[in-house]
Amino acid sequence: MAFIEISKENYKHNIEFLSNKAGGKDRLMVVLKDNAYGHGLEIMAKLACGFGIKKSAVKTLEEAKKINFLFEEVLILADHPPFELQDESISYAVHSLDGLRKFPKMSCLHVNIDSGMHRNGIREDEIEDAFNIIIENDLNLKGIFTHFRSADEMSSEQYWQNENFNRSKKIVKKLIKKYGLPMPKFHSCNSASLLRRKNPLQDDFARCGISTYGYTHLHENFGKFDLKPVMSLWAEKLSTRSLKKGDRVGYGGMYELKFDSYVSTYDIGYGDGFFRYDGLSELILEDKSVCGRISMDSLCFLGDEKKLCLFRDAHYLAKKFGTITYDITTKLSPYIKKVVV
Ligand SMILES: *Cc1c(COP(=O)(O)O)cnc(C)c1O
């Protein structure tokens, strides 16, 4: 069966590199949403916990409940308010005043401030209203955060958003004092915004996803970063046939043999979340050319090796198909077996 190999050593290396950059392990929240970007939620959660990480983020309550026993706090980034109060290790990101009104009493919350991305979050002039709802409904404000829209691009937008967030922080701090509430944690940086920082992190922690898995899409002018891809994808041989020069392989007969050769079929395809390549241009995976179109459940290569590595670094595939590494790893089916080495 096809499998994903997870390098424990590379993950540890990235976590250490990023913790150093953030100013300590307790200043790094690892983002494990979407099945840990395809790497396997529970596997990566256990590894992160073993490396001393105390905070993580996921997308849904369902994900949070699988791993909250490993962390002091799991932040749910993009789910709807729950009907019942959750364990105090589980916090929710709040994206609007309307959303805020729906949380059960005592819920642990991180309020998202829209500092300019306009995807989610409350406006600066809604902060006071948010506090009124928090006090009225007896909610537990644990954090205040924002998200940058252009962190991995060469632009000054990050500074503009940061200024906006700093203004909101000041408003929050005043209201905290006024109402005598405990100070919430402030956070704003994702991977790219942490990596590009020249000065120490001002916030309480950073939320890092893609960089923990070994990737960055930051413009090269920001420098090179010592990150190591954690995942490699492997496929195993289903069958082999001996073909003649001129024989054509797969759907549409897109690949024509230039010499007599063995051709073997391997057990992964676009139904497993791998890319559906159309066989038109050349696709070379770890030095081997894919023969023709990728099918739903399989793909072909010249030769007869028992197992083949399809990638050790998702950058090549991302570039080839005009997308980003997030898209390549996250789409891999959660059913693909994981092997930690
Ligand atoms: C996904 C996500 C992150 C992590 O982003 P990376 O670029 O993978 O580091 C951080 N914050 C929020 C709100 C997110 O949705």
Side-chain angles (χ1 to χ4, degrees), residues 45-65:
K46 274 187 200 130
L47 291 176
C49 172
F51 300 150
I53 296 295
K54 305 269 192 300
K55 285 187 274 293
S56 68
V58 292
K59 181 178 178 187
T60 62
L61 177 60
E62 196 185 337
E63 289 180 321
K65 281 183 165 171

Side-chain angles (χ1 to χ4, degrees), residues 2-234:
F3 62 97
I4 287 170
E5 206 170 82
I6 299 292
S7 164
K8 190 173 167 177
E9 195 181 311
N10 287 2
Y11 190 49
K12 184 171 187 213
H13 169 90
N14 299 335
I15 295 276
E16 271 168 11
F17 177 79
L18 294 160
S19 306
N20 276 339
K21 183 93 191 161
K25 287 208 168 134
D26 50 350
R27 290 162 67 78
L28 181 65
M29 171 181 265
V30 294
V31 181
L32 300 169
K33 63 188 180 189
D34 298 278
N35 197 31
Y37 293 43
H39 293 66
L41 172 64
E42 282 152 293
I43 290 170
M44 301 313 284
K46 274 187 200 130
L47 291 176
C49 172
F51 300 150
I53 296 295
K54 305 269 192 300
K55 285 187 274 293
S56 68
V58 292
K59 181 178 178 187
T60 62
L61 177 60
E62 196 185 337
E63 289 180 321
K65 281 183 165 171
K66 288 183 182 157
I67 59 164
N68 68 318
F69 72 98
L70 294 166
F71 296 99
E72 280 173 7
E73 184 172 17
V74 180
L75 173 61
I76 297 173
L77 290 171
D79 207 347
H80 303 274
F83 298 111
E84 292 162 6
L85 180 64
Q86 300 302 321
D87 189 276
E88 59 183 8
S89 61
I90 295 179
S91 316
Y92 272 82
V94 177
H95 302 295
S96 68
L97 289 183
D98 272 351
L100 181 57
R101 289 191 187 95
K102 295 187 183 136
F103 283 93
K105 260 185 197 265
M106 320 276 285
S107 293
C108 297
L109 305 175
H110 287 233
V111 173
N112 186 351
I113 306 280
D114 181 1
S115 59
M117 184 172 182
H118 306 324
R119 177 176 75 172
N120 271 318
I122 65 168
R123 294 191 314 264
E124 188 179 311
D125 63 6
E126 292 177 322
I127 296 175
E128 190 139 14
D129 291 342
F131 268 81
N132 288 330
I133 300 169
I134 287 166
I135 287 159
E136 217 164 279
N137 296 358
D138 206 3
L139 297 164
N140 184 353
L141 178 67
K142 292 189 81 174
I144 295 282
F145 76 103
T146 196
H147 196 59
F148 298 118
R149 70 179 181 194
S150 306
D152 43 16
E153 286 157 31
M154 270 309 257
S155 90
S156 58
E157 294 215 326
Q158 163 119 359
Y159 298 100
W160 163 69
Q161 272 193 269
N162 202 35
E163 283 309 300
N164 294 344
F165 188 50
N166 280 339
R167 265 199 327 275
S168 293
K169 278 184 182 171
K170 280 194 192 134
I171 297 172
V172 168
K173 284 179 183 165
K174 261 195 190 146
L175 291 165
I176 287 290
K177 221 169 164 186
K178 176 172 161 189
Y179 292 112
L181 296 172
M183 192 59 78
K185 302 280 185 213
F186 294 95
H187 49 112
S188 59
C189 289
N190 69 346
S191 297
S193 27
L194 175 67
L195 289 170
R196 66 187 279 173
R197 285 192 72 84
K198 298 223 160 40
N199 308 319
L201 191 66
Q202 292 167 339
D203 292 335
D204 293 300
F205 60 87
R207 307 179 304 269
C208 291
I210 199 74
S211 53
T212 64
Y213 307 109
Y215 298 108
T216 170
H217 287 272
L218 263 179
H219 193 282
E220 61 195 24
N221 286 6
F222 287 110
K224 279 227 166 279
F225 299 96
D226 184 21
L227 297 168
K228 299 181 177 174
V230 170
M231 163 192 290
S232 49
L233 178 65
W234 293 78

Side-chain angles (χ1 to χ4, degrees), residues 234-302:
W234 293 78
E236 290 187 332
K237 190 174 76 174
L238 288 166
S239 66
T240 300
R241 54 208 39 76
S242 167
L243 297 176
K244 298 275 179 244
K245 180 180 172 185
D247 283 344
R248 294 190 298 141
V249 179
Y251 281 117
M254 297 302 286
Y255 183 85
E256 184 174 321
L257 268 89
K258 296 177 187 67
F259 43 85
D260 295 0
S261 174
Y262 286 118
V263 172
S264 298
T265 304
Y266 292 83
D267 60 354
I268 197 164
Y270 65 83
D272 302 294
F274 197 60
F275 239 88
R276 184 191 169 274
Y277 150 75
D278 58 14
L280 287 173
S281 60
E282 194 172 46
L283 177 64
I284 298 170
L285 299 179
E286 300 293 315
D287 299 332
K288 286 185 83 77
S289 222
V290 176
C291 300
R293 280 186 198 154
I294 292 183
S295 302
M296 190 182 287
D297 300 316
S298 62
L299 78 178
C300 298
F301 286 95
L302 292 182

